[in-house]
Amino acid sequence: MSHDHLGCACCNLPHLPALTTGLLTETALGGELDAAFLQAYARPARTLGPQAVIFHSGVIHTLAAAGSERVEALGMAGGTIIATGTLHEVRQAMQAYQPDETDLHGRTLLPGFVEPHMHVLPSALYKSWLPLTPFKPAPQQQELNLEYSFQSISQQIRTALAHPDKLSKDKQGNPWVLGFGVDPSLMQPWEDITASQLDPLSSTVPILLMNSSGHLAYLNTAALQAAKIEDTPSGVLTEINIATALQAAPQPRLPEFVACLKQVLEHASAMGFTSVFDAGLGATEQPQLEIGLLKLAAHLGPVRIGAALFTKPEEPALDKWLQRYTPDLDSHGDQRFSIRAIKLIADGSNQGLTGYQSEPYACSHEHTVPDVPDTGLNNYQDTSVFTR
């Protein structure tokens, strides 16, 4: 959706544990995480704007169960709509809340958008990476950059390499260039990236670029050596193999990560979203910590967070999830954070040419992904697991 990656990269899920190694620990939901949230949010309690407010004197559309309708006024308190109708009716319904009033002066008030599929934690983790997407930066971030090319992202990488003190450092203190959002299919011309193309940029500093689909990563030789990867000289990693490289790459400190998490959710709010849906929570070895972290972020605002719990078909996690959680399908539980579904992943991404197809990709004769068939990747040879 934008250079900030408010969106979906589904295969972030299999390699999310590598991204969060050392970040989500057994004690992370204790004082360390509390301190990180206090530092990022700079307040001890939730503040979601006016606790009670009436909007009027504008064009107000609701999205009621019976369908969209226009009303004269709308009253809300604590992030929940209390009443709609005439201004008199809403004032009567809102008396107990002692509301403020906002005159719209003819402006339009619309229902908040719902982001139906994103990955909140990976979005926060990539927030600190070099943005290499084909979209123009703000305020034109919905527009494609028609000059997007391998040369243009190479220049961004060279600029980053010129300031090694600002690069992320791994556990040994070595700088890395980490970039996210690369999309060769939108380059002019389309150029498939390999280690041989990245090596001229640097033979010593590891370079790791993530495809915008999240299903591919491009490494130079220095990064392959740092990650001790010897069987992929092309430097193109797919799916779960990306985790090996990410384990060697730098990771943010917890306060930095929480600050990035706040930025992602505030960016969603600024774009008009009042709810986001994390389509794959619980992929790490500490799923309870993931859930607790997002629940805390949801209660601090500014958006509600719903989630689907991630599991693989061949793992017994599905039964454990169902024993521990009952998906809230009717919004009767926590209104700020809720578990809505269970998610299973079977293949890759069409965008990265790894999504499994019955016929070869039309562009496969011109553009290939190393070690990936022209029909994409089938992660499960035994497809009967989906019918059990």
Side-chain angles (χ1 to χ4, degrees):
M1 177 177 291
S2 74
H3 71 290
D4 285 331
H5 178 53
L6 178 64
C8 167
C10 292
C11 206
N12 283 326
L13 298 173
H15 57 246
L16 179 60
L19 282 169
T20 55
T21 300
L23 183 62
L24 298 179
T25 65
E26 286 287 358
T27 59
L29 281 185
E32 185 181 0
L33 186 59
D34 289 341
F37 268 91
L38 285 173
Q39 178 178 330
Y41 285 82
R43 62 177 186 269
R46 175 167 63 109
T47 303
L48 298 173
Q51 290 302 295
V53 61
I54 295 174
F55 296 95
H56 61 86
S57 301
V59 179
I60 302 175
H61 287 280
T62 69
L63 195 61
S68 177
E69 63 174 340
R70 180 172 170 177
V71 296
E72 181 182 352
L74 179 148
M76 61 184 299
T80 300
I81 294 175
I82 304 299
T84 62
T86 66
L87 181 56
H88 175 73
E89 291 170 340
V90 173
R91 282 173 172 165
Q92 288 292 109
M94 293 286 293
Q95 280 185 345
Y97 298 94
Q98 298 182 328
D100 296 328
E101 290 197 8
T102 297
D103 189 325
L104 294 172
H105 297 290
R107 292 173 296 174
T108 298
L109 181 67
L110 295 172
F113 299 129
V114 175
E115 165 57 67
H117 189 147
M118 70 176 293
H119 300 291
V120 179
L121 297 182
S123 294
L125 287 161
Y126 291 134
K127 184 75 175 174
S128 61
W129 289 30
L130 186 66
L132 299 174
T133 78
F135 296 96
K136 293 181 180 180
Q140 298 171 300
Q141 53 195 22
Q142 297 301 312
E143 296 183 24
L144 282 172
N145 177 8
L146 299 181
E147 297 180 356
Y148 183 67
S149 65
F150 179 72
Q151 286 68 32
S152 69
I153 70 168
S154 295
Q155 185 55 51
Q156 290 179 264
I157 295 171
R158 290 191 185 95
T159 300
L161 287 166
H163 303 279
D165 57 311
K166 296 182 180 180
L167 295 177
S168 299
K169 308 295 193 300
D170 62 18
K171 295 178 180 178
Q172 289 72 43
N174 301 313
W176 285 56
V177 172
L178 302 174
F180 181 80
V182 178
D183 192 341
S185 70
L186 291 176
M187 289 180 176
Q188 299 296 329
W190 181 333
E191 195 159 351
D192 299 312
I193 302 172
T194 62
S196 62
Q197 290 173 290
L198 295 175
D199 286 345
L201 298 176
S202 179
S203 60
T204 56
V205 177
I207 300 174
L208 190 163
L209 310 180
M210 191 71 69
N211 184 281
S212 58
S213 71
H215 291 251
L216 297 171
Y218 313 106
L219 284 68
N220 67 347
T221 300
L224 291 171
Q225 292 172 345
K228 296 181 172 57
I229 298 173
E230 300 177 351
D231 58 352
T232 314
S234 69
V236 180
L237 303 185
T238 60
E239 307 290 337
I240 195 67
N241 296 325
I242 298 173
T244 303
L246 292 174
Q247 287 171 347
Q251 296 179 13
R253 294 175 58 251
L254 188 59
E256 298 168 348
F257 171 73
V258 172
C260 288
L261 173 61
K262 180 188 176 189
Q263 290 178 35
V264 167
L265 298 177
E266 287 180 341
H267 178 63
S269 178
M271 295 177 71
F273 294 98
T274 55
S275 298
V276 299
F277 187 76
D278 191 306
L281 191 61
T284 71
E285 295 180 358
Q286 300 292 338
Q288 291 301 113
L289 299 184
E290 288 184 61
I291 293 169
L293 193 157
L294 281 198
K295 188 172 184 179
L296 181 55
H299 279 272
L300 286 169
V303 297
R304 298 176 179 85
I305 301 176
L309 298 172
F310 169 73
T311 186
K312 295 180 181 179
E314 74 275 14
E315 293 182 349
L318 179 59
D319 291 338
K320 292 182 179 179
W321 281 137
L322 292 176
Q323 291 171 8
R324 183 172 297 174
Y325 295 100
T326 299
D328 182 6
L329 303 180
D330 300 311
S331 301
H332 292 318
D334 187 344
Q335 294 298 299
R336 299 297 306 174
F337 176 83
S338 58
I339 301 296
R340 297 286 180 167
I342 305 290
K343 177 171 183 174
L344 296 86
I345 295 178
D347 64 345
S349 163
N350 305 101
Q351 185 178 17
L353 306 184
T354 57
Y356 188 53
Q357 308 292 320
S358 59
E359 297 182 7
Y361 284 89
C363 59
S364 61
H365 63 289
E366 296 181 77
H367 303 284
T368 61
V369 180
D371 302 320
V372 175
D374 58 7
T375 53
L377 288 174
N378 175 11
N379 292 338
Y380 304 99
Q381 299 302 318
D382 180 11
T383 56
S384 66
V385 295
F386 296 107
T387 59
R388 291 174 186 169

